[in-house]
Amino acid sequence: MKIILLGPPGAGKGTQAKDLSQRLNLPHISTGDILRQNVSLSTELGKKAKDFMDRGLLVPDELITEMLKERLQQPDVQEEGFILDGYPRNLNQAQTLDNILKKKNTEIDIVFYLDTSESVIIQRLSGRLVCSKCGANFHIKNMPPKVDMICDYCQGELYQRTDDREETIKKRLQVYYKEVSSLIKYYERQNKLQRICADEEREIVLSRIIQMVKNHCLTTKT
Ligand code: AMP
């Protein structure tokens, strides 16, 4: 199964994708996580991407496409499919992905748009903490770790992303809203878009997504 999670920064794509990946046994591909890994390892890609990321801008499509193609070649994805989080960010990326999948005789099954109000986005992002080891997300108020600044799952150290500061959040939202309407239209035309209100609690949003995935499986079997 091949699922895309679309939504603004702070919609909870990463959190939902991790939960869904466990529940549906599908690999989670986060382009943001892969980029952050490359930045922290100072790879060539990381060095090229860092400045764009720190300024809240999109990393150029050529770099992202190469990175995604490589990840899509790996056996777990070939066998199971994926939950894609953070890609596509614009129409060109959506078309590129469709072309890559077409060559493999396959296509996206379902695209979830996690609709989120701006006040919720700012509140979530400005309190977000991320584990430096396993990438799990926490929140200073809504989902605090059991021990201050330490990950509940792997005991890694938690940090605030450099792009989760207020000025960069605003820039990321501007970039996001500029591109998203064409993406929404693109997937609506393909009859693949499902909207979900993501202002609600994590568990409620997750159960709605799972219900829609089940419905999708039922309708495509008949
Ligand atoms: P995210 O973790 O998805 O919020 O991504 C963090 C940052 O990584 C973004 O603000 C972009 O600079 C970069 N990024 C992640 N995914 C993409 C993508 N598909 N295209 C371009 N830049 C991306």
Side-chain angles (χ1 to χ4, degrees), residues 71-87:
R71 182 64 186 93
L72 294 181
Q73 296 294 355
Q74 289 168 17
D76 58 337
V77 173
Q78 301 272 353
E79 279 160 31
E80 309 287 345
F82 53 74
I83 298 165
L84 198 45
D85 141 30
Y87 189 104

Side-chain angles (χ1 to χ4, degrees), residues 17-55:
K18 284 189 182 76
D19 288 351
L20 264 183
S21 153
Q22 285 192 341
R23 292 281 289 271
L24 303 177
N25 209 10
L26 286 175
H28 168 205
I29 304 178
S30 156
T31 46
D33 283 353
I34 303 176
L35 286 169
R36 279 184 289 280
Q37 240 170 25
N38 277 275
V39 170
S40 73
L41 295 172
S42 280
T43 63
E44 276 312 302
L45 169 63
K47 284 181 205 157
K48 287 181 189 154
K50 186 176 184 318
D51 187 48
F52 293 99
M53 296 171 76
D54 284 346
R55 287 190 291 148

Side-chain angles (χ1 to χ4, degrees), residues 31-32 35-36 53 57-59 64 86-87 89 93 161 163 172:
T31 46
L35 286 169
R36 279 184 289 280
M53 296 171 76
L57 302 175
L58 292 185
V59 174
I64 298 288
Y87 189 104
R89 289 285 234 274
Q93 292 186 4
R161 280 173 43 174
D163 59 354
R172 286 163 65 205

Side-chain angles (χ1 to χ4, degrees), residues 62-203:
E62 316 82 73
L63 296 177
I64 298 288
T65 301
E66 272 318 297
M67 182 183 100
L68 184 74
K69 270 189 186 160
E70 219 171 276
R71 182 64 186 93
L72 294 181
Q73 296 294 355
Q74 289 168 17
D76 58 337
V77 173
Q78 301 272 353
E79 279 160 31
E80 309 287 345
F82 53 74
I83 298 165
L84 198 45
D85 141 30
Y87 189 104
R89 289 285 234 274
N90 58 32
L91 197 55
N92 180 45
Q93 292 186 4
Q95 287 163 339
T96 302
L97 176 61
D98 277 354
N99 289 335
I100 296 173
L101 295 178
K102 213 171 180 180
K103 284 190 189 140
K104 296 176 195 281
N105 274 329
T106 181
E107 59 180 287
I108 294 295
D109 292 288
I110 185 161
V111 179
F112 289 104
Y113 179 66
L114 304 186
D115 214 346
T116 320
S117 59
E118 197 154 325
S119 57
V120 171
I121 293 172
I122 305 275
Q123 189 264 347
R124 280 186 188 157
L125 290 184
S126 53
R128 173 159 72 178
L129 299 171
V130 184
C131 175
S132 53
K133 250 164 107 185
C134 73
N137 281 332
F138 295 85
H139 188 278
I140 292 171
K141 280 198 201 128
N142 306 347
M143 221 197 319
K146 291 185 186 122
V147 178
D148 193 30
M149 297 307 277
I150 300 292
C151 177
D152 290 358
Y153 310 108
C154 74
Q155 279 68 54
E157 211 173 305
L158 304 186
Y159 70 102
Q160 186 186 36
R161 280 173 43 174
T162 50
D163 59 354
D164 277 348
R165 306 205 172 116
E166 201 172 329
E167 273 320 295
T168 321
I169 292 175
K170 284 187 187 150
K171 185 69 207 168
R172 286 163 65 205
L173 286 174
Q174 267 175 21
V175 170
Y176 174 76
Y177 287 121
K178 182 170 163 270
E179 303 288 354
V180 75
S181 53
S182 54
L183 275 181
I184 289 177
K185 280 187 205 131
Y186 182 76
Y187 289 118
E188 268 175 351
R189 273 200 297 271
Q190 295 190 1
N191 243 339
K192 290 188 174 158
L193 194 86
Q194 296 285 353
R195 286 171 191 266
I196 303 251
C197 170
D199 281 354
E200 311 258 17
E201 297 288 315
R202 168 182 182 164
E203 282 303 326

